[in-house]
Amino acid sequence: MFINMRRFRKCHLRLIVTFFTTLLIMVNWENIDNKILTHVKSYTYRYLHNSFQFINTSFRVSPAEAIRYSNHKYLLNHDKKCGAKDILLLIFVKSSSQNFERRHAIRTTWGNEVYVENTLGVTIKVLFALGVHPEQKKRKIIRQQLILENQKYKDLIQQDFIDTFHNLTLKLLLQLSWKESYCRHANFFMSTDDDVFIHIPNLIRYLQQIARSDNKNLWIGRVHRGSPPVRDKTSKYYVSQDMYSWLSYPDYTPGSGYVLSKDVATKIYQASRTLNASLHIDDVFLGICAKIMDISPKDHVFFSGEGKAHYHCCIYNQMMTSHGHVSDIYELWGRVTDPEACQMSSGLFSRLYCTLVKVRLLCVPFWSYSYPCNAAFV
Ligand SMILES: *[C@@H]1O[C@H](CO)[C@@H](O)[C@H](O)[C@H]1NC(C)=O
Ligand SMILES: *[C@@H]1O[C@H](CO)[C@@H](O)[C@H](O)[C@H]1NC(C)=O
Ligand SMILES: *[C@@H]1O[C@H](CO)[C@@H](O)[C@H](O)[C@H]1NC(C)=O
Protein backbone atom coordinates (compact mmCIF):
# COMPACT_ATOMS: atom_id res chain seq x y z
CA MET A 1 0.00 0.00 0.00
CA PHE A 2 2.73 2.41 1.08
CA ILE A 3 4.90 1.62 -1.93
CA ASN A 4 1.97 2.05 -4.22
CA MET A 5 1.26 5.44 -2.77
CA ARG A 6 4.85 6.52 -3.42
CA ARG A 7 4.74 5.25 -6.91
CA PHE A 8 1.49 7.05 -7.43
CA ARG A 9 2.97 10.32 -6.23
CA LYS A 10 6.04 9.95 -8.41
CA CYS A 11 3.86 9.22 -11.37
CA HIS A 12 1.73 12.18 -10.53
CA LEU A 13 4.67 14.48 -10.33
CA ARG A 14 5.95 13.28 -13.65
CA LEU A 15 2.57 13.90 -15.20
CA ILE A 16 2.40 17.41 -13.85
CA VAL A 17 5.91 18.25 -15.10
CA THR A 18 5.14 16.82 -18.51
CA PHE A 19 1.89 18.71 -18.64
CA PHE A 20 3.49 22.05 -17.86
CA THR A 21 6.42 21.50 -20.17
CA THR A 22 4.04 20.68 -22.99
CA LEU A 23 1.99 23.73 -22.16
CA LEU A 24 5.09 25.92 -22.19
CA ILE A 25 6.21 24.57 -25.53
CA MET A 26 2.72 24.98 -26.98
CA VAL A 27 2.43 28.55 -25.80
CA ASN A 28 5.83 29.42 -27.22
CA TRP A 29 5.62 27.16 -30.19
CA GLU A 30 5.19 29.92 -32.69
CA ASN A 31 8.35 31.62 -31.43
CA ILE A 32 10.41 28.46 -31.26
CA ASP A 33 9.11 27.27 -34.58
CA ASN A 34 9.84 30.59 -36.21
CA LYS A 35 13.37 30.67 -34.89
CA ILE A 36 14.14 27.12 -35.96
CA LEU A 37 12.58 27.68 -39.34
CA THR A 38 14.47 30.92 -39.91
CA HIS A 39 17.74 29.24 -39.07
CA VAL A 40 17.05 26.19 -41.19
CA LYS A 41 16.21 28.44 -44.11
CA SER A 42 19.24 30.66 -43.68
CA TYR A 43 21.57 27.67 -43.27
CA THR A 44 20.11 26.03 -46.33
CA TYR A 45 20.59 29.24 -48.21
CA ARG A 46 24.17 29.59 -47.01
CA TYR A 47 25.24 26.00 -47.56
CA LEU A 48 23.26 24.91 -50.61
CA HIS A 49 22.64 28.05 -52.55
CA ASN A 50 25.51 30.21 -51.32
CA SER A 51 25.33 32.65 -54.14
CA PHE A 52 25.35 36.23 -53.17
CA GLN A 53 25.10 37.54 -56.70
CA PHE A 54 22.34 39.87 -55.59
CA ILE A 55 24.89 41.93 -53.72
CA ASN A 56 26.40 43.00 -56.97
CA THR A 57 23.14 44.22 -58.35
CA SER A 58 21.36 45.40 -55.22
CA PHE A 59 24.04 47.16 -53.27
CA ARG A 60 26.02 48.82 -56.03
CA VAL A 61 25.61 52.55 -56.31
CA SER A 62 27.51 55.13 -58.29
CA PRO A 63 30.79 56.33 -56.76
CA ALA A 64 29.21 59.75 -56.30
CA GLU A 65 26.40 58.18 -54.24
CA ALA A 66 28.76 55.91 -52.30
CA ILE A 67 31.02 58.73 -51.22
CA ARG A 68 28.14 60.48 -49.52
CA TYR A 69 28.36 57.92 -46.73
CA SER A 70 31.99 58.54 -46.01
CA ASN A 71 32.77 62.17 -46.70
CA HIS A 72 32.24 63.31 -43.15
CA LYS A 73 34.52 66.01 -41.84
CA TYR A 74 37.22 65.23 -39.27
CA LEU A 75 36.71 67.13 -36.03
CA LEU A 76 39.73 65.53 -34.40
CA ASN A 77 42.50 63.92 -36.40
CA HIS A 78 46.13 62.88 -36.19
CA ASP A 79 47.32 62.45 -39.72
CA LYS A 80 50.95 61.97 -38.65
CA LYS A 81 50.22 59.32 -36.03
CA CYS A 82 51.65 56.46 -38.08
CA GLY A 83 54.50 58.32 -39.77
CA ALA A 84 56.91 56.24 -41.79
CA LYS A 85 57.62 53.74 -39.05
CA ASP A 86 57.23 50.03 -39.52
CA ILE A 87 53.91 49.25 -37.86
CA LEU A 88 52.70 45.76 -37.18
CA LEU A 89 49.18 46.56 -36.10
CA LEU A 90 46.77 49.48 -36.17
CA ILE A 91 43.87 49.05 -33.74
CA PHE A 92 40.73 51.13 -33.94
CA VAL A 93 38.59 51.05 -30.81
CA LYS A 94 35.00 52.11 -31.41
CA SER A 95 34.14 54.33 -28.49
CA SER A 96 31.50 56.87 -27.48
CA SER A 97 32.40 60.42 -26.51
CA GLN A 98 31.36 60.03 -22.88
CA ASN A 99 33.35 56.82 -22.26
CA PHE A 100 36.42 58.58 -20.83
CA GLU A 101 37.00 55.89 -18.22
CA ARG A 102 36.96 53.04 -20.68
CA ARG A 103 39.48 54.76 -22.93
CA HIS A 104 41.69 55.45 -19.97
CA ALA A 105 41.54 51.82 -18.91
CA ILE A 106 42.53 50.65 -22.39
CA ARG A 107 45.45 53.10 -22.62
CA THR A 108 46.88 51.88 -19.37
CA THR A 109 46.38 48.17 -20.05
CA TRP A 110 46.29 46.27 -23.33
CA GLY A 111 46.33 49.41 -25.50
CA ASN A 112 49.57 50.76 -24.02
CA GLU A 113 51.75 51.34 -27.08
CA VAL A 114 54.88 51.95 -25.00
CA TYR A 115 54.48 48.71 -23.08
CA VAL A 116 54.09 46.79 -26.34
CA GLU A 117 57.16 48.46 -27.85
CA ASN A 118 59.29 47.74 -24.78
CA THR A 119 58.23 44.24 -23.92
CA LEU A 120 57.18 42.77 -27.25
CA GLY A 121 59.50 44.76 -29.51
CA VAL A 122 56.92 45.80 -32.09
CA THR A 123 55.10 49.02 -32.89
CA ILE A 124 51.37 49.16 -32.65
CA LYS A 125 49.06 52.17 -32.83
CA VAL A 126 45.82 52.38 -30.90
CA LEU A 127 43.19 54.97 -31.86
CA PHE A 128 39.64 55.65 -30.76
CA ALA A 129 36.93 56.19 -33.38
CA LEU A 130 34.24 58.68 -32.40
CA GLY A 131 31.27 60.51 -33.80
CA VAL A 132 29.39 63.41 -32.25
CA HIS A 133 27.37 62.96 -29.06
CA PRO A 134 23.69 62.42 -29.96
CA GLU A 135 22.36 64.85 -27.35
CA GLN A 136 22.70 68.41 -28.49
CA LYS A 137 22.64 69.75 -24.92
CA LYS A 138 25.67 67.76 -23.82
CA ARG A 139 27.71 68.29 -26.95
CA LYS A 140 29.47 71.48 -25.93
CA ILE A 141 30.77 70.33 -22.58
CA ILE A 142 31.78 66.94 -23.94
CA ARG A 143 33.54 68.61 -26.83
CA GLN A 144 35.69 70.58 -24.37
CA GLN A 145 36.51 67.46 -22.39
CA LEU A 146 37.43 65.61 -25.57
CA ILE A 147 39.76 68.39 -26.65
CA LEU A 148 41.62 68.18 -23.34
CA GLU A 149 41.78 64.40 -23.47
CA ASN A 150 43.02 64.56 -27.02
CA GLN A 151 45.74 67.10 -26.22
CA LYS A 152 47.04 64.74 -23.60
CA TYR A 153 46.89 61.44 -25.44
CA LYS A 154 46.64 62.39 -29.14
CA ASP A 155 44.65 59.31 -30.01
CA LEU A 156 41.10 60.43 -30.78
CA ILE A 157 39.77 60.36 -34.33
CA GLN A 158 36.39 62.03 -34.58
CA GLN A 159 34.11 62.78 -37.50
CA ASP A 160 31.01 64.92 -37.61
CA PHE A 161 28.34 62.21 -37.87
CA ILE A 162 26.01 61.52 -34.98
CA ASP A 163 27.33 58.70 -32.85
CA THR A 164 24.52 56.16 -32.60
CA PHE A 165 24.13 52.44 -32.98
CA HIS A 166 22.42 53.03 -36.31
CA ASN A 167 25.44 54.95 -37.59
CA LEU A 168 27.99 52.24 -36.88
CA THR A 169 28.58 51.63 -40.56
CA LEU A 170 29.67 55.26 -40.89
CA LYS A 171 32.15 54.57 -38.12
CA LEU A 172 33.44 51.57 -40.03
CA LEU A 173 33.94 53.75 -43.10
CA LEU A 174 35.84 56.23 -40.94
CA GLN A 175 38.24 53.49 -39.82
CA LEU A 176 38.79 52.06 -43.28
CA SER A 177 39.34 55.38 -44.94
CA TRP A 178 41.60 56.65 -42.16
CA LYS A 179 43.81 53.59 -42.52
CA GLU A 180 43.89 54.02 -46.26
CA SER A 181 44.78 57.72 -46.08
CA TYR A 182 47.14 57.89 -43.13
CA CYS A 183 48.36 54.42 -42.23
CA ARG A 184 48.35 52.37 -45.37
CA HIS A 185 51.64 50.67 -44.52
CA ALA A 186 50.51 49.14 -41.21
CA ASN A 187 50.65 45.39 -41.76
CA PHE A 188 47.43 44.57 -39.95
CA PHE A 189 44.27 46.43 -39.07
CA MET A 190 42.01 45.54 -36.18
CA SER A 191 38.63 46.90 -35.18
CA THR A 192 37.18 46.42 -31.72
CA ASP A 193 34.93 47.94 -29.03
CA ASP A 194 35.77 49.79 -25.85
CA ASP A 195 34.40 46.97 -23.67
CA VAL A 196 36.64 44.32 -25.19
CA PHE A 197 39.79 42.96 -23.61
CA ILE A 198 42.51 42.05 -26.07
CA HIS A 199 45.25 39.70 -24.99
CA ILE A 200 47.80 41.74 -26.86
CA PRO A 201 50.86 39.52 -26.19
CA ASN A 202 49.03 36.49 -27.63
CA LEU A 203 47.71 38.47 -30.56
CA ILE A 204 51.10 39.99 -31.39
CA ARG A 205 52.81 36.60 -31.27
CA TYR A 206 50.17 35.20 -33.58
CA LEU A 207 50.43 38.08 -36.08
CA GLN A 208 54.22 37.92 -36.06
CA GLN A 209 54.02 34.27 -37.02
CA ILE A 210 51.71 35.10 -39.90
CA ALA A 211 53.83 38.04 -40.98
CA ARG A 212 56.83 35.74 -41.19
CA SER A 213 55.15 33.35 -43.62
CA ASP A 214 52.59 35.15 -45.72
CA ASN A 215 50.75 38.13 -44.39
CA LYS A 216 48.35 38.41 -47.28
CA ASN A 217 44.70 37.61 -47.60
CA LEU A 218 43.95 37.47 -43.90
CA TRP A 219 40.59 38.21 -42.34
CA ILE A 220 40.27 36.58 -38.97
CA GLY A 221 37.80 36.56 -36.08
CA ARG A 222 34.90 34.50 -34.83
CA VAL A 223 33.06 33.69 -38.04
CA HIS A 224 29.27 33.74 -38.23
CA ARG A 225 28.07 31.58 -41.10
CA GLY A 226 24.53 31.52 -42.41
CA SER A 227 23.15 34.04 -39.91
CA PRO A 228 19.63 35.16 -40.74
CA PRO A 229 18.72 38.87 -40.61
CA VAL A 230 16.75 39.74 -37.47
CA ARG A 231 13.13 40.51 -38.37
CA ASP A 232 11.94 41.20 -34.84
CA LYS A 233 11.12 44.89 -34.77
CA THR A 234 11.92 45.23 -31.07
CA SER A 235 15.53 44.13 -31.54
CA LYS A 236 18.25 46.66 -32.12
CA TYR A 237 19.56 44.37 -34.84
CA TYR A 238 16.25 44.56 -36.72
CA VAL A 239 16.71 44.89 -40.46
CA SER A 240 13.75 45.53 -42.74
CA GLN A 241 12.97 43.55 -45.88
CA ASP A 242 13.60 46.70 -47.88
CA MET A 243 17.09 47.03 -46.55
CA TYR A 244 18.01 43.36 -46.86
CA SER A 245 15.46 40.96 -48.31
CA TRP A 246 17.45 37.70 -48.44
CA LEU A 247 17.40 34.79 -46.01
CA SER A 248 20.97 34.86 -44.91
CA TYR A 249 23.87 37.25 -44.46
CA PRO A 250 27.19 36.52 -46.11
CA ASP A 251 29.80 35.18 -43.66
CA TYR A 252 31.06 37.85 -41.30
CA THR A 253 33.00 38.38 -38.09
CA PRO A 254 31.36 40.29 -35.22
CA GLY A 255 32.48 43.87 -34.70
CA SER A 256 33.79 43.12 -31.22
CA GLY A 257 37.07 42.08 -32.77
CA TYR A 258 38.53 41.04 -36.11
CA VAL A 259 41.85 41.51 -37.87
CA LEU A 260 42.52 42.27 -41.53
CA SER A 261 45.83 42.15 -43.34
CA LYS A 262 46.64 45.38 -45.14
CA ASP A 263 45.79 44.09 -48.63
CA VAL A 264 42.38 42.94 -47.40
CA ALA A 265 41.76 46.25 -45.63
CA THR A 266 42.50 48.05 -48.90
CA LYS A 267 40.21 45.81 -50.92
CA ILE A 268 37.37 46.18 -48.45
CA TYR A 269 37.86 49.91 -48.45
CA GLN A 270 37.67 49.91 -52.25
CA ALA A 271 34.51 47.81 -52.24
CA SER A 272 32.92 50.12 -49.68
CA ARG A 273 33.40 52.98 -52.11
CA THR A 274 31.02 51.35 -54.58
CA LEU A 275 28.21 50.24 -52.27
CA ASN A 276 25.08 51.52 -50.61
CA ALA A 277 26.18 51.77 -46.98
CA SER A 278 22.79 52.36 -45.44
CA LEU A 279 22.77 48.88 -43.86
CA HIS A 280 23.63 49.96 -40.33
CA ILE A 281 25.00 46.65 -39.04
CA ASP A 282 28.66 47.44 -39.56
CA ASP A 283 30.10 43.93 -39.35
CA VAL A 284 27.55 42.56 -41.80
CA PHE A 285 28.32 45.45 -44.13
CA LEU A 286 31.99 44.50 -43.98
CA GLY A 287 30.94 40.94 -44.88
CA ILE A 288 29.14 42.29 -47.92
CA CYS A 289 32.20 44.29 -49.01
CA ALA A 290 34.35 41.18 -48.58
CA LYS A 291 31.95 39.03 -50.55
CA ILE A 292 32.16 41.43 -53.47
CA MET A 293 35.93 41.10 -53.39
CA ASP A 294 35.70 37.34 -52.96
CA ILE A 295 37.45 37.33 -49.59
CA SER A 296 36.47 34.72 -46.97
CA PRO A 297 36.98 34.99 -43.23
CA LYS A 298 39.03 32.54 -41.22
CA ASP A 299 37.62 31.32 -37.94
CA HIS A 300 39.65 31.58 -34.76
CA VAL A 301 38.06 29.95 -31.71
CA PHE A 302 39.75 32.26 -29.23
CA PHE A 303 38.19 35.42 -30.59
CA SER A 304 35.22 35.70 -28.28
CA GLY A 305 31.65 36.05 -29.38
CA GLU A 306 29.39 37.75 -26.93
CA GLY A 307 30.66 36.56 -23.63
CA LYS A 308 33.44 37.08 -21.17
CA ALA A 309 36.27 34.61 -20.99
CA HIS A 310 36.59 32.52 -17.84
CA TYR A 311 39.26 33.56 -15.40
CA HIS A 312 41.64 30.68 -15.76
CA CYS A 313 45.28 30.32 -16.72
CA CYS A 314 44.41 27.61 -19.23
CA ILE A 315 42.27 30.19 -21.02
CA TYR A 316 44.74 33.09 -20.71
CA ASN A 317 47.36 31.06 -22.53
CA GLN A 318 45.31 31.07 -25.71
CA MET A 319 42.76 33.87 -25.57
CA MET A 320 42.77 36.63 -28.16
CA THR A 321 39.74 38.73 -27.24
CA SER A 322 37.11 38.65 -24.56
CA HIS A 323 33.94 40.72 -24.59
CA GLY A 324 32.19 42.64 -21.82
CA HIS A 325 35.04 43.94 -19.67
CA VAL A 326 34.76 47.34 -18.11
CA SER A 327 35.53 47.40 -14.40
CA ASP A 328 37.69 44.28 -14.34
CA ILE A 329 40.02 45.23 -17.16
CA TYR A 330 42.91 46.27 -14.86
CA GLU A 331 42.68 43.09 -12.86
CA LEU A 332 42.58 40.91 -15.95
CA TRP A 333 45.54 42.74 -17.48
CA GLY A 334 47.46 42.22 -14.25
CA ARG A 335 46.77 38.52 -14.34
CA VAL A 336 47.67 37.89 -17.96
CA THR A 337 50.90 39.86 -17.78
CA ASP A 338 52.13 38.60 -14.43
CA PRO A 339 54.91 36.14 -15.27
CA GLU A 340 54.46 34.32 -11.95
CA ALA A 341 50.68 34.03 -11.95
CA CYS A 342 50.24 31.53 -14.73
CA GLN A 343 53.35 29.46 -14.89
CA MET A 344 52.61 26.29 -16.78
CA SER A 345 54.99 23.79 -18.16
CA SER A 346 54.44 22.72 -21.72
CA GLY A 347 54.54 19.05 -20.79
CA LEU A 348 51.96 16.44 -21.62
CA PHE A 349 50.50 16.50 -18.14
CA SER A 350 49.72 20.21 -18.08
CA ARG A 351 48.29 20.06 -21.59
CA LEU A 352 46.00 17.28 -20.51
CA TYR A 353 45.06 19.21 -17.40
CA CYS A 354 44.18 22.30 -19.47
CA THR A 355 42.12 20.26 -21.91
CA LEU A 356 40.06 18.91 -19.03
CA VAL A 357 39.65 22.35 -17.51
CA LYS A 358 38.57 23.81 -20.84
CA VAL A 359 36.08 21.01 -21.47
CA ARG A 360 34.54 21.74 -18.09
CA LEU A 361 34.41 25.50 -18.76
CA LEU A 362 33.47 25.62 -22.44
CA CYS A 363 31.51 22.48 -23.24
CA VAL A 364 28.42 23.25 -21.19
CA PRO A 365 25.44 23.69 -23.49
CA PHE A 366 23.68 27.07 -23.38
CA TRP A 367 26.09 28.29 -20.76
CA SER A 368 29.38 29.31 -22.31
CA TYR A 369 29.15 32.35 -24.53
CA SER A 370 32.83 33.05 -24.73
CA TYR A 371 34.56 30.37 -26.76
CA PRO A 372 33.09 27.29 -28.46
CA CYS A 373 33.57 23.79 -27.10
CA ASN A 374 36.10 22.84 -29.75
CA ALA A 375 38.41 25.51 -28.32
CA ALA A 376 39.08 22.96 -25.58
CA PHE A 377 40.96 20.77 -28.04
CA VAL A 378 43.29 23.21 -29.74
C1 LIG B 1 30.44 41.31 -59.02
O1 LIG B 1 30.71 42.04 -60.20
C2 LIG B 1 32.07 42.28 -60.45
C3 LIG B 1 32.20 43.13 -61.73
O2 LIG B 1 31.14 44.02 -61.82
C4 LIG B 1 32.78 40.94 -60.63
O3 LIG B 1 34.15 41.16 -60.84
C5 LIG B 1 32.58 40.08 -59.39
O4 LIG B 1 33.15 38.81 -59.57
C6 LIG B 1 31.11 39.95 -59.07
N1 LIG B 1 30.98 39.27 -57.81
C7 LIG B 1 30.14 38.28 -57.57
C8 LIG B 1 30.12 37.70 -56.20
O5 LIG B 1 29.40 37.87 -58.42
C1 LIG C 1 23.81 59.44 -38.63
O1 LIG C 1 24.59 60.59 -38.79
C2 LIG C 1 24.05 61.54 -39.69
C3 LIG C 1 25.06 62.66 -39.86
O2 LIG C 1 25.32 63.28 -38.65
C4 LIG C 1 22.71 62.06 -39.16
O3 LIG C 1 22.14 62.96 -40.07
C5 LIG C 1 21.79 60.87 -38.95
O4 LIG C 1 20.61 61.30 -38.33
C6 LIG C 1 22.44 59.82 -38.10
N1 LIG C 1 21.60 58.64 -38.11
C7 LIG C 1 21.21 58.04 -37.00
C8 LIG C 1 20.33 56.86 -37.19
O5 LIG C 1 21.55 58.39 -35.90
C1 LIG D 1 20.30 52.53 -50.28
O1 LIG D 1 19.52 51.58 -49.55
C2 LIG D 1 18.41 52.16 -48.86
C3 LIG D 1 17.78 51.08 -48.03
O2 LIG D 1 17.61 49.91 -48.73
C4 LIG D 1 17.46 52.79 -49.84
O3 LIG D 1 16.37 53.39 -49.17
C5 LIG D 1 18.23 53.84 -50.65
O4 LIG D 1 17.38 54.37 -51.65
C6 LIG D 1 19.46 53.24 -51.30
N1 LIG D 1 20.24 54.31 -51.91
C7 LIG D 1 20.60 54.29 -53.20
C8 LIG D 1 21.39 55.47 -53.67
O5 LIG D 1 20.34 53.36 -53.91
Side-chain angles (χ1 to χ4, degrees):
M1 184 63 194
F2 175 72
I3 294 180
N4 269 350
M5 198 56 200
R6 256 178 58 178
R7 198 181 275 166
F8 176 74
R9 269 196 210 139
K10 227 173 156 179
C11 185
H12 222 105
L13 195 71
R14 222 180 272 162
L15 255 169
I16 291 174
V17 170
T18 316
F19 174 76
F20 277 103
T21 316
T22 317
L23 197 70
L24 208 72
I25 292 181
M26 271 164 63
V27 167
N28 286 305
W29 179 248
E30 209 170 329
N31 270 336
I32 298 171
D33 184 40
N34 249 332
K35 245 193 174 148
I36 296 176
L37 203 69
T38 313
H39 276 87
V40 168
K41 279 198 222 157
S42 73
Y43 264 75
T44 315
Y45 191 88
R46 158 69 178 79
Y47 285 99
L48 297 181
H49 190 53
N50 199 21
S51 156
F52 288 86
Q53 283 291 346
F54 60 80
I55 286 174
N56 257 355
T57 44
S58 307
F59 281 85
R60 293 269 188 200
V61 291
S62 68
E65 280 289 342
I67 204 161
R68 293 203 352 229
Y69 297 101
S70 60
N71 65 352
H72 290 279
K73 216 172 66 207
Y74 284 104
L75 300 177
L76 299 170
N77 194 9
H78 300 280
D79 54 358
K80 305 277 187 306
K81 174 89 177 177
C82 285
K85 239 180 147 177
D86 191 21
I87 292 166
L88 184 73
L89 175 65
L90 167 70
I91 303 181
F92 257 113
V93 183
K94 289 170 279 178
S95 187
S96 299
S97 314
Q98 70 279 13
N99 291 352
F100 302 101
E101 299 277 329
R102 292 190 187 187
R103 290 192 288 277
H104 187 69
I106 290 173
R107 286 184 193 108
T108 41
T109 57
W110 63 260
N112 185 340
E113 296 169 358
V114 177
Y115 171 90
V116 172
E117 188 98 49
N118 291 344
T119 59
L120 305 169
V122 296
T123 305
I124 68 164
K125 296 287 169 188
V126 181
L127 290 167
F128 296 93
L130 303 169
V132 173
H133 196 278
E135 286 172 63
Q136 186 105 43
K137 277 184 292 185
K138 293 197 182 151
R139 244 175 241 167
K140 202 165 165 205
I141 174 107
I142 287 194
R143 167 105 193 122
Q144 283 161 354
Q145 288 170 316
L146 283 181
I147 289 174
L148 287 181
E149 180 186 355
N150 188 52
Q151 275 169 0
K152 196 159 173 197
Y153 301 108
K154 302 180 172 50
D155 58 4
L156 304 183
I157 307 292
Q158 185 188 33
Q159 278 187 343
D160 68 352
F161 58 83
I162 306 206
D163 208 339
T164 56
F165 179 78
H166 285 85
N167 264 344
L168 270 179
T169 298
L170 301 187
K171 199 173 267 189
L172 171 68
L173 298 176
L174 176 163
Q175 300 166 60
L176 291 170
S177 72
W178 195 91
K179 164 133 185 18
E180 211 48 33
S181 310
Y182 308 117
C183 205
R184 194 187 248 264
H185 60 289
N187 283 298
F188 297 97
F189 161 86
M190 178 170 200
S191 180
T192 188
D193 289 321
D194 63 6
D195 60 347
V196 171
F197 181 88
I198 299 180
H199 194 309
I200 207 87
N202 284 355
L203 180 67
I204 297 290
R205 239 173 279 131
Y206 178 74
L207 293 179
Q208 278 178 314
Q209 248 171 35
I210 292 174
R212 243 175 266 132
S213 51
D214 175 25
N215 59 357
K216 279 216 167 65
N217 213 14
L218 182 85
W219 169 21
I220 196 155
R222 175 72 80 78
V223 181
H224 288 202
R225 296 182 210 277
S227 297
V230 175
R231 303 296 190 201
D232 169 8
K233 283 195 178 143
T234 58
S235 164
K236 71 173 182 175
Y237 297 103
Y238 167 73
V239 165
S240 68
Q241 292 278 353
D242 283 346
M243 200 168 263
Y244 193 96
S245 55
W246 300 275
L247 294 172
S248 162
Y249 287 139
D251 297 354
Y252 71 95
T253 51
S256 54
Y258 54 83
V259 178
L260 311 176
S261 56
K262 67 177 168 194
D263 58 313
V264 169
T266 298
K267 282 186 194 164
I268 285 179
Y269 165 75
Q270 285 165 350
S272 76
R273 309 281 282 188
T274 67
L275 297 180
N276 181 338
S278 47
L279 182 71
H280 59 275
I281 315 230
D282 59 333
D283 39 21
V284 172
F285 182 73
L286 190 142
I288 290 174
C289 295
K291 194 77 202 175
I292 289 240
M293 297 311 240
D294 208 14
I295 301 164
S296 312
K298 197 172 148 200
D299 193 38
H300 191 300
V301 287
F302 278 100
F303 276 76
S304 85
E306 288 152 42
K308 250 184 200 192
H310 300 269
Y311 297 123
H312 201 288
C313 289
C314 292
I315 300 279
Y316 301 157
N317 285 341
Q318 290 174 293
M319 72 190 274
M320 292 289 178
T321 71
S322 176
H323 197 188
H325 296 274
V326 177
S327 52
D328 60 346
I329 184 167
Y330 295 99
E331 194 195 339
L332 188 53
W333 178 244
R335 290 192 201 190
V336 306
T337 51
D338 180 358
E340 314 245 295
C342 277
Q343 261 182 352
M344 294 248 200
S345 72
S346 55
L348 186 65
F349 178 74
S350 49
R351 263 186 294 155
L352 195 64
Y353 165 74
C354 274
T355 303
L356 290 177
V357 166
K358 285 187 290 176
V359 166
R360 188 175 61 78
L361 295 176
L362 306 177
C363 300
V364 187
F366 311 116
W367 192 252
S368 165
Y369 298 105
S370 57
Y371 311 114
C373 177
N374 59 335
F377 305 99
V378 297

